[in-house]
Amino acid sequence: MSNQEVVVLSVGGVRYVTRASTLQQFPDSRLARMLNHDDWEFKLVNGEFFVDRDGTLFSYIMDFLRTLQVCLPTDFSDYQRLRREAEFYGLHPLADLLRQEHLLKPRLEILEVRFSLQEMQAFFRIFGSCSTTVEALAEQITVFTGQQSGQSWSSPFPSQKTLVPLPLERPSYHDMVFQCGTEYSAGEQFVARYVSIKPDNRKLINGTNVLGLLFDTLLKDGFRLISARTVASEEKVECYSFERMKRPTGLTVTVNQTPGSSGVAQARRGQKQKGK
């Protein structure tokens, strides 16, 4: 690239190197005018544009100019300061997005697992505050049913017999119900239900093993166990509560690059969300 295509900025002592076209995404912004030496706030020193602003927050300004998205860390809290920086640089579409702070902040998710043992069967009910999370978990869980002889919880998956997948019960968008184990059918035959949780390929019939695999799946997905209690001792119903901070979906600015346009922008979601 030629020297005219590469721009070096020193923002509060933090050095940034970028393309001129990146800074010109919004022609009316002060960063675009800076390239024409039309803004007194930016001093050209030894070939670098210097501006006495927050150098750390400017990294988010650059990320926005490069992607036209606002994706902030889960622990970010300087919304007002970043909006002030966006307004200083004349990036009004970014400032407008930052005013939608409630859409950019991470959300606390709660997931509750109820587990009960009744003779040779185990019953599960999972409730989540975010329906999209429950939907994704339901796609990972499959219940298989089939006939088998004997009723041992340690019975391995009968590979020689055909198992039929069963749909999970979904009382609402926010919960699901399923069970595993065996129940009496006729003679020495029992109906067996096995549970598989992706990406694990095992089919488990023991309720305690299924519970352990479910816990492992949730922990790997960013949840943490916050409480465990017995809610119905006579029915042996145990309740486990999990929580996690879910990152928000990034907000995107669409720039209308029409002749004579000064960079009109419209905010939209980076991807479709449901279950809000």
Side-chain angles (χ1 to χ4, degrees):
M1 291 189 296
S2 66
N3 289 336
Q4 286 86 4
E5 291 179 312
V6 177
V7 180
V8 181
L9 299 94
S10 177
V11 183
V14 182
R15 193 169 183 265
Y16 292 89
V17 181
T18 186
R19 295 172 180 264
S21 58
T22 300
L23 300 175
Q24 293 169 331
Q25 287 277 14
F26 299 92
D28 287 343
S29 72
R30 299 182 77 169
L31 290 170
R33 297 200 306 268
M34 172 194 74
L35 298 178
N36 297 323
H37 306 279
D38 289 340
D39 198 306
W40 62 270
E41 286 278 5
F42 298 87
K43 307 296 183 183
L44 190 60
V45 181
N46 297 326
E48 298 183 7
F49 287 98
F50 173 78
V51 60
D52 190 17
R53 301 296 296 190
D54 191 307
T56 301
L57 290 178
F58 192 71
S59 65
Y60 301 112
I61 301 288
M62 287 303 307
D63 184 63
F64 170 74
L65 290 174
R66 288 166 175 155
T67 65
L68 297 181
Q69 287 190 340
V70 182
C71 295
L72 301 173
T74 55
D75 59 350
F76 186 82
S77 59
D78 290 332
Y79 292 93
Q80 291 185 356
R81 291 180 59 212
L82 183 56
R83 187 172 71 239
R84 185 176 62 199
E85 293 300 297
E87 290 170 347
F88 169 82
Y89 291 110
L91 296 172
H92 303 297
L94 174 58
D96 291 342
L97 290 187
L98 290 169
R99 289 188 181 92
Q100 304 179 60
E101 187 175 327
H102 64 288
L103 297 178
L104 294 168
K105 286 185 175 181
R107 296 180 299 122
L108 178 64
E109 279 192 76
I110 300 295
L111 196 74
E112 183 180 277
V113 177
R114 293 205 172 198
F115 170 71
S116 65
L117 290 174
Q118 298 178 17
E119 296 181 350
M120 300 303 295
Q121 297 184 79
F123 298 86
F124 295 82
R125 183 160 194 160
I126 301 175
F127 174 86
S129 60
C130 179
S131 64
T132 54
T133 297
V134 176
E135 184 69 31
L137 185 59
E139 292 177 358
Q140 292 179 257
I141 299 175
T142 305
V143 177
F144 298 89
T145 185
Q147 296 282 334
Q148 78 170 57
S149 299
Q151 56 179 355
S152 172
W153 278 74
S154 60
S155 299
F157 164 56
S159 57
Q160 73 279 12
K161 295 185 179 180
T162 301
L163 294 181
V164 179
L166 293 176
L168 299 181
E169 293 183 46
R170 297 295 306 276
S172 74
Y173 288 112
H174 289 271
D175 60 349
M176 72 181 83
V177 178
F178 62 92
Q179 67 186 86
C180 66
T182 58
E183 60 181 328
Y184 179 76
S185 176
E188 295 183 355
Q189 294 294 313
F190 290 82
V191 175
R193 286 186 175 88
Y194 296 81
V195 173
S196 176
I197 305 178
K198 297 176 182 177
D200 195 294
N201 292 322
R202 292 174 296 170
K203 294 179 175 63
L204 304 176
I205 194 172
N206 185 298
T208 303
N209 292 342
V210 173
L211 183 66
L213 179 57
L214 178 60
F215 276 23
D216 186 57
T217 301
L218 294 175
L219 294 174
K220 288 180 178 178
D221 203 27
F223 283 95
R224 67 185 186 95
L225 179 65
I226 58 174
S227 70
R229 67 188 190 276
T230 300
V231 294
S233 56
E234 66 279 1
E235 297 178 0
K236 299 180 181 179
V237 179
E238 299 171 356
C239 179
Y240 302 91
S241 297
F242 295 81
E243 71 174 19
R244 74 171 175 183
M245 296 301 293
K246 185 178 181 182
R247 292 180 62 90
T249 300
L251 296 182
T252 301
V253 162
T254 302
V255 181
N256 298 325
Q257 298 292 357
T258 57
S261 170
S262 60
V264 178
Q266 180 180 3
R268 62 180 175 83
R269 286 299 184 91
Q271 64 184 39
K272 184 181 290 185
Q273 286 186 317
K274 58 183 178 179
K276 292 292 184 183

